[in-house]
């Protein structure tokens, strides 16, 4: 919504710069999108008077003019226009001037003669014939020939001279404030914001034209539920002519091009009052009857834009006895358009159902200024003042004679909204402390009335958005100043916010996997029943029991998975067959297991890793699993061989334990299973239970100071059977220690003839330390002795 500040000054005078005006209006709730000044692209263009003209010696169509522009000496300007004569007042673009479109004018020579500028046409100033009807269209703009341009002074800025200097403010009007889609509505807001008096004019119509309105015109509203109010007046002996300069200036500043006096009056009233209006040529209203009805199915209407529309019963039309003559609230019909020979005019000022108008315009792909206003819900009490204002303007412009009387059909009588002012509740809601009388002052500035019973507020009819106490609180808040409301902490029962433990672990696992070089994937939770065959599960495997989808997309997506392994292998196989040299992937996905008491699936999360290439082998995958377990600070992590899982290589697979709980499994995928997914190389995967990882997760680390006392190191080498794992030996070492062992690290494995067939030598470096003293050799030896005894007892390992 554009607002002309010149027009605004008719209702409320606020003499502040545009920037200050915009900031104040935005803070009071009327958001300003921007401000501009008409003719801002024009600079250094003034009113000049032609003193003399002589023929250009080197041209048969150019003239050399001496032009007075208010400087000590006249300027010489060369022009090719043929309509200029001595003493004419013309627009003169001086040296280093600018015109609309970024055009720059500088002095120069034309056919050898110096020209210190340019004489301008109105088109070169960004205007057209409708802005200044008296101007000559095909030559220089002769300002002195226009009777409306009076009091011009030589040297005067052209923008001021022709009224192209209005300041325009662009507002963003929210859908709940249709009253602000008008100059009067915004004037109320400006008056309240700056606490300035406002002056609203009450239209006065003299009337007196021949005829009785009720005999000339009849109005019926069969669609009464869609027409809260319909108001009409009639004007006779219409004289179609251009509008006066002041009206054209205001319309142009608001973004509306002038057309003729009657059409301009309807646009003017729409902008001033926010009430869309339409003017019908009375001679085309058959039978002198206007009928506001629902359109007939398939009814055809050609609108003013020349487009033919096929209507449905959901559209609301203005019709006469035989046909539709307009789309109610959207656009008039071409068959009743105001033309140059129009004599009698019917002014329509109505209030239509906003939902009906919005749906009708949407169905036809139309959106007009009128429909944009109606769809937001207009004030039914505004129709009569608007039509009276239109008739007043008709008389003011001498555009016709107004017939006495008004046809006013009121199908819905709006009742005033009465709200109790509750200062304590408002202050509590807003977190402020505003006195009751100050609240009354704010509301009275906005046009709210206080009834006889103090404490009850009467909401004006144009404020349909104010329906409850909270709405009154908003009005108080915006004029008290949002920036004046103190910041306070939230009170009452509130949540702590942040991530839950589950979310924190999910984020942590994702970070650890990415740190190890794995990229995240997301796969579907539904798979094909044949996927279990591809991972070599037996037909009697209880894990095959899956939930079936009642209406699947196809056989390949017909069941909910009980394992994430096929999904991971499917992606690895696709990458492998697309000749990707390597792929390291992870997914934190869900599986769906039966067994929940309510018949629903038990949705467990599984962290799945899958990889091939780039040096991937069993121990690389084991290192990734170790890094994950270490990253979540799991304790007592150990690995044990696994030969029972049919999907994995029986000699390259291991369980992951945390204490006594199995966390998951990892290893090389069975070659046959890999081949089932189109891979003839080695694939490695890991499946870790999220629930077990959550249980195994250690507490947050605590700071421990650096050791104050030196450590004692011992190297031991023990001989054991080949079948004994290093992990079992490490467990025995930690079990046998008496509290002094800080670290045990493997540094050698040896097999040879002197060790014996089926035997191996495993060497460890032991680090021993006490936190409160320096160890003696005897204490260290006692700990090592206990460790060796435990190794022999639990693993059959003896000191080499």
């Amino acid at each position: 919504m554009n607002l002309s500040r010149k027009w605004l000054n008719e209702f409320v005078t606020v003499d502040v710069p545009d920037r200050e005006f915009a900031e104040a209006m935005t803070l009071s709730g009327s958001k300003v999108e921007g401000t501009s000044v008409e003719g801002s692209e024009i600079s250094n263009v003034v009113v000049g008077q032609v003193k003399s003209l002589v023929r250009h010696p080197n041209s048969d169509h150019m003239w050399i003019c001496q032009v007075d522009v208010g400087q000590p000496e006249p300027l010489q300007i060369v022009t090719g226009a043929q309509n200029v004569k001595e003493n004419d007042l013309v627009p003169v673009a001086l040296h280093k001037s600018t015109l609309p479109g970024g055009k720059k004018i500088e002095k120069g020579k034309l056919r050898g003669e110096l020209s210190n500028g340019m004489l301008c046409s109105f088109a070169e100033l960004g205007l057209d014939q409708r802005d200044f009807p008296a101007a000559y269209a095909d030559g220089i703009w002769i300002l002195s020939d226009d009777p409306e341009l009076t009091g011009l002074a030589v040297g005067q800025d052209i923008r001021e001279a022709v009224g192209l200097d209005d300041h325009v403010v662009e507002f963003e009007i929210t859908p709940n404030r249709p009253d602000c889609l008008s100059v009067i509505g915004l004037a109320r807001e400006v008056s309240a914001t700056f606490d300035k008096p406002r002056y609203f004019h009450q239209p006065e119509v003299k009337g007196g034209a021949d005829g009785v309105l009720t005999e000339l015109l009849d109005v019926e509203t069969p669609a009464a539920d869609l027409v809260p109010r319909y108001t009409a007046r009639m004007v006779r002996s219409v004289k179609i002519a251009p509008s006066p300069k002041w009206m054209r200036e205001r319309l142009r500043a608001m973004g509306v091009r002038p057309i003729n006096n009657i059409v301009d009056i309807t646009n003017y009233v729409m902008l001033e009052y926010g009430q869309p209006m339409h003017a019908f040529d009375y001679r085309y209203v058959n039978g002198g009857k206007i009928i506001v009805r629902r359109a007939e199915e398939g009814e055809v209407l050609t609108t003013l834009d020349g487009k033919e529309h096929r209507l449905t019963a959901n559209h609301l039309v203005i019709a006469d006895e035989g046909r539709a003559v307009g789309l109610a609230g959207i656009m008039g019909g071409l068959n009743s358009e105001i033309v140059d020979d129009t004599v009698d005019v019917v002014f329509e000022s109505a209030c239509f159902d906003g939902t009906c108008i919005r749906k009708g315009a949407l169905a036809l792909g139309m959106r007009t200024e009128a429909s944009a206003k109606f769809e937001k819900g207009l004030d039914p009490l505004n129709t009569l003042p608007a039509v009276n204002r239109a008739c007043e303007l008709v008389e003011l412009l001498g555009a016709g004679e107004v017939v006495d009387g008004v046809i006013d059909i009121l199908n819905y009588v709006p009742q005033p909204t009465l709200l109790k002012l509750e200062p304590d509740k408002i202050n509590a809601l807003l977190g402020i402390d505003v006195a009751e009388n100050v609240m009354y002052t704010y509301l009275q500035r906005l046009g709210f009335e206080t009834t006889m019973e103090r404490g009850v507020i009467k909401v004006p009819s144009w404020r349909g958005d104010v329906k409850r106490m909270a709405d009154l609180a908003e009005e108080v808040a915006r004029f008290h100043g949002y920036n004046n409301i103190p910041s306070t902490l939230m009170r009452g029962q509130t949540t702590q916010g942040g991530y839950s433990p589950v979310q924190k672990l999910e984020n942590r696992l994702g970070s650890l996997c990415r740190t190890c070089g794995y990229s995240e994937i997301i796969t579907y939770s539904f798979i094909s029943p044949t996927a279990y065959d591809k991972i070599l599960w037996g037909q009697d495997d209880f894990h095959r029991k899956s939930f079936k989808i009642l209406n699947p997309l196809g056989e390949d997506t017909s069941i909910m998975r009980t394992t994430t392994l096929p999904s991971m292998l499917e992606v690895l196989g696709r990458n492998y067959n697309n000749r990707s040299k390597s792929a390291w992937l992870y997914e934190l996905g869900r599986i769906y297991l039966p067994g929940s008491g309510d018949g629903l699936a038990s949705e467990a999360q599984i962290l799945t890793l899958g990889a091939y290439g780039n040096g991937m082998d069993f121990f690389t995958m084991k290192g990734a699993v170790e890094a994950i377990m270490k990253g979540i600070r799991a304790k007592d992590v150990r690995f044990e061989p696994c030969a029972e899982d049919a999907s994995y290589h029986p000699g390259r697979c291991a369980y992951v334990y945390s204490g006594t709980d199995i966390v998951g499994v990892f290893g090389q995928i069975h070659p046959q299973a890999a081949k089932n997914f189109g891979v003839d190389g080695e694939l490695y995967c890991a499946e870790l239970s999220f629930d077990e990882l959550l249980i195994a997760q250690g507490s947050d680390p605590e700071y421990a100071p650096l050791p104050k006392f030196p450590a004692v190191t011992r190297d031991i080498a023990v001989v054991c059977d080949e079948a004994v794992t290093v992990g079992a030996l490490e467990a025995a070492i930690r079990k046998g220690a008496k509290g002094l062992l800080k670290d045990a690290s493997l540094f050698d494995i040896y097999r040879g003839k002197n060790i014996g067939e089926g035997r191996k030598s495993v060497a460890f470096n032991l680090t021993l330390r006490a936190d409160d003293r320096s160890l003696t050799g005897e204490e260290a030896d006692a700990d090592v002795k206990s460790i060796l005894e435990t190794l022999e007892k639990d693993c059959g390992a003896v000191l080499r």
Side-chain angles (χ1 to χ4, degrees):
M1 171 72 185
N2 288 342
L3 175 66
S4 160
R5 292 197 63 182
K6 282 187 177 180
W7 197 346
L8 175 67
N9 285 337
E10 180 181 320
F11 302 103
V12 55
T13 303
V14 178
D15 188 17
V16 297
D18 287 346
R19 183 181 181 85
E20 183 179 337
F21 180 87
E23 289 177 352
M25 292 301 294
T26 299
L27 285 174
S28 69
S30 302
K31 183 182 177 185
V32 175
E33 286 289 297
T35 61
S36 61
V37 180
E38 273 194 301
S40 58
E41 292 184 301
I42 301 172
S43 66
N44 209 21
V45 180
V46 299
V47 176
Q49 185 174 36
V50 179
K51 290 300 185 181
S52 65
L53 297 93
V54 295
R55 284 286 185 183
H56 194 295
N58 300 318
S59 173
D60 59 355
H61 70 280
M62 289 187 176
W63 295 86
I64 300 176
C65 307
Q66 300 298 323
V67 184
D68 181 4
V69 293
Q71 297 179 5
E73 297 293 333
L75 296 181
Q76 177 173 299
I77 296 178
V78 178
T79 181
Q82 304 302 309
N83 67 318
V84 181
K85 57 186 182 297
E86 289 186 3
N87 296 321
D88 280 346
L89 296 178
V90 295
V92 181
L94 304 177
H95 176 54
K96 293 187 177 180
S97 59
T98 57
L99 299 177
K103 186 177 181 180
K104 298 184 181 300
I105 304 298
E106 296 183 352
K107 64 181 180 180
K109 290 188 176 182
L110 294 175
R111 301 281 181 94
E113 295 293 333
L114 179 64
S115 181
N116 291 293
M118 182 181 78
L119 307 186
C120 302
S121 66
F122 61 77
E124 289 168 326
L125 296 176
L127 303 169
D128 64 25
Q129 193 79 53
R130 288 183 291 188
D131 293 312
F132 289 91
Y136 179 57
D138 298 322
I140 299 302
W141 187 8
I142 309 301
L143 303 174
S144 49
D145 287 351
D146 192 331
E148 292 185 308
L149 296 176
T150 58
L152 301 182
V154 173
Q156 184 181 7
D157 188 290
I158 193 64
R159 296 181 301 168
E160 178 188 349
V162 302
L164 198 61
D165 58 346
D166 199 351
H167 290 239
V168 179
V169 183
E170 181 185 357
F171 285 90
E172 178 188 327
I173 306 301
T174 52
N176 67 317
R177 293 299 306 274
D179 60 298
C180 288
L181 292 171
S182 65
V183 178
I184 289 177
L186 288 172
R188 294 190 189 103
E189 292 294 310
V190 172
S191 172
T193 299
F194 291 93
D195 196 13
K196 297 287 186 180
R198 51 180 178 261
Y199 309 98
F200 290 154
H201 169 69
Q202 191 68 28
E204 296 181 2
V205 182
K206 298 176 182 178
D210 292 338
V212 179
L213 181 60
T214 54
E215 295 178 357
L216 294 171
L217 184 66
D218 185 23
V219 178
E220 295 179 1
T221 58
D225 57 320
L226 303 179
V227 190
R229 190 172 189 178
Y230 191 94
T231 309
R233 295 201 69 164
M234 189 171 177
V235 177
R236 312 203 74 175
S237 303
V238 169
K239 302 176 184 63
I240 304 296
S243 300
K245 177 174 176 289
W246 62 267
M247 180 176 284
R248 299 197 307 269
E249 285 181 4
R250 291 183 176 183
L251 291 175
R252 183 178 65 238
M254 300 283 282
V256 177
R257 281 293 184 184
I259 298 176
N260 59 53
N261 50 6
I262 298 299
V263 175
D264 290 352
I265 285 172
T266 61
N267 287 331
Y268 189 92
V269 173
M270 180 179 70
L271 294 172
E272 187 174 52
Y273 280 76
Q275 172 62 49
M277 293 188 60
H278 186 64
F280 299 100
D281 192 326
Y282 176 71
R283 60 184 165 177
Y284 296 124
V285 179
N286 296 335
K289 178 179 286 189
I290 289 178
I291 304 172
V292 188
R293 58 172 173 82
R294 288 176 169 85
E296 298 176 1
E297 198 69 37
E299 187 172 6
V300 176
L301 173 67
T302 302
T303 48
L304 288 172
D305 57 3
K307 296 180 180 178
E308 185 179 280
H309 301 281
R310 189 168 298 276
L311 310 180
T312 69
N314 295 323
H315 291 101
L316 187 66
V317 297
I318 311 298
D320 56 22
E321 289 185 331
R323 58 182 181 167
V325 295
L327 271 172
I330 302 175
M331 187 178 289
L334 192 63
N335 52 19
S336 60
E337 180 184 16
I338 302 297
V339 292
D340 290 344
D341 63 346
T342 295
V343 176
D344 297 330
V345 168
V346 177
F347 279 126
E348 168 195 280
S349 176
C351 182
F352 301 116
D353 179 73
T355 302
C356 176
I357 301 304
R358 181 181 64 82
K359 290 182 176 179
L362 184 64
L364 297 175
M366 303 174 70
R367 184 174 175 84
T368 62
E369 284 286 336
S371 69
K373 287 180 168 61
F374 277 118
E375 69 185 24
K376 294 174 177 63
L378 299 182
D379 177 13
L381 301 186
N382 200 29
T383 61
L384 184 58
V387 77
N388 286 337
R389 175 61 167 160
C391 292
E392 180 186 49
L393 289 171
V394 168
E395 294 178 340
L396 179 66
L397 271 56
E401 300 174 0
V402 180
V403 177
D404 290 333
V406 180
I407 294 178
D408 189 16
I409 299 177
L410 194 60
N411 293 317
Y412 166 71
V413 181
Q415 298 301 315
T417 301
L418 300 178
L419 298 174
K420 184 178 180 181
L421 185 67
E422 301 173 279
D424 292 339
K425 287 187 177 181
I426 291 176
N427 282 328
L429 179 64
L430 299 177
I432 58 178
D433 185 15
V434 175
E436 183 178 0
N437 64 324
V438 176
M439 292 184 185
Y440 278 110
T441 301
Y442 291 153
L443 295 172
Q444 288 167 359
R445 277 159 50 180
L446 285 164
F448 290 75
E449 299 177 14
T450 303
T451 62
M452 294 296 292
E453 180 186 354
R454 183 169 175 80
V456 177
I457 301 297
K458 181 180 179 181
V459 180
S461 61
W462 62 82
R463 290 302 304 274
D465 61 308
V466 179
K467 300 178 180 178
R468 53 188 64 86
M469 183 274 292
D471 298 325
L472 290 178
E474 182 180 1
E475 301 303 306
V476 171
R478 65 194 186 99
F479 287 102
H480 174 71
Y482 293 114
N483 54 326
N484 295 323
I485 298 177
S487 299
T488 57
L489 293 175
M490 291 186 294
R491 296 187 297 272
Q493 194 69 28
T494 60
T495 60
Q496 294 298 315
Y499 291 109
S500 68
V502 170
Q503 292 172 320
K504 289 179 180 178
L505 182 58
E506 288 175 346
N507 294 338
R508 181 63 180 155
L509 292 175
S511 177
L512 288 169
C513 291
R514 291 189 294 273
T515 301
C516 292
Y518 291 80
S519 299
E520 184 177 16
I521 63 170
I522 300 175
T523 60
Y524 290 118
S525 297
F526 29 82
I527 60 175
S528 169
T530 61
Y532 299 144
D533 297 327
K534 296 173 73 173
I535 61 173
L536 308 180
W537 280 6
Q539 292 299 321
D540 58 347
D541 193 322
F542 71 93
H543 290 107
R544 281 179 173 264
K545 188 176 180 180
S546 308
F547 284 92
K548 294 182 179 180
I549 299 175
L550 295 178
N551 187 24
L553 296 174
E555 182 65 21
D556 290 343
T557 55
S558 60
I559 62 172
M560 303 302 292
R561 65 188 180 189
T562 61
T563 173
T564 56
L565 192 60
S567 303
M568 176 60 73
L569 293 177
E570 188 73 36
V571 177
L572 290 174
R574 189 180 309 121
N575 279 271
Y576 184 87
N577 288 293
N578 286 336
R579 298 186 179 182
S580 296
K581 293 182 180 180
S582 65
W584 290 26
L585 310 173
Y586 81 93
E587 177 185 20
L588 188 59
R590 292 190 180 275
I591 58 174
Y592 301 83
L593 304 174
S596 177
D598 55 6
L600 300 176
S602 174
E603 301 182 17
Q605 279 188 285
I606 302 294
L607 176 62
T608 310
L609 280 70
Y612 70 85
N614 196 22
M616 174 55 63
D617 57 18
F618 176 85
F619 296 103
T620 305
M621 179 60 72
K622 178 175 180 286
V625 174
E626 287 180 324
I628 290 172
M629 300 302 288
K630 183 178 180 181
I632 65 171
R633 300 178 295 279
K635 294 183 178 179
D636 299 330
V637 177
R638 57 190 176 87
F639 304 93
E640 292 189 4
C642 170
E644 296 82 22
D645 197 319
S647 302
Y648 289 87
H649 191 298
R652 299 178 183 175
C653 180
Y655 289 120
V656 184
Y657 282 84
S658 176
T660 59
D661 297 330
I662 297 179
V663 176
V665 64
F666 73 93
Q668 180 186 341
I669 296 298
H670 196 288
Q672 182 57 49
K675 187 177 295 184
N676 291 340
F677 287 93
V679 179
D680 55 7
E682 296 180 357
L683 299 179
Y684 292 88
C685 288
E687 300 171 80
L688 305 178
S689 168
F690 181 83
D691 292 337
E692 292 297 335
L693 290 171
L694 189 61
I695 295 172
Q697 183 178 212
S699 58
D700 291 338
E702 295 182 1
Y703 168 76
L706 293 174
K708 296 181 179 179
F709 302 96
V712 175
T713 61
R714 292 285 191 270
D715 291 341
I716 62 172
V718 294
V719 178
C720 62
D721 291 339
E722 186 70 48
V724 179
T725 64
V726 172
L729 294 174
E730 286 185 349
I733 291 173
R734 297 187 185 280
K735 179 181 177 182
K738 294 183 176 181
L740 298 179
L741 181 69
K742 298 301 182 183
D743 187 38
S745 58
L746 172 74
F747 69 87
D748 183 56
I749 297 177
Y750 173 74
R751 298 174 180 87
K753 293 180 180 180
N754 57 336
I755 299 299
E757 187 70 24
R759 305 276 284 177
K760 62 183 177 182
S761 171
V762 184
F764 293 91
N765 176 260
L766 308 179
T767 301
L768 308 170
R769 182 189 299 112
D771 296 331
D772 57 350
R773 67 188 186 281
S774 296
L775 288 180
T776 65
E778 291 78 7
E779 290 176 313
D781 291 341
D783 232 43
V784 172
K785 181 180 179 182
S786 177
I787 289 171
L788 291 173
E789 290 173 352
T790 305
L791 283 168
E792 183 175 3
K793 178 181 178 182
D794 292 354
C795 302
V798 297
L799 188 63
R800 181 178 173 186

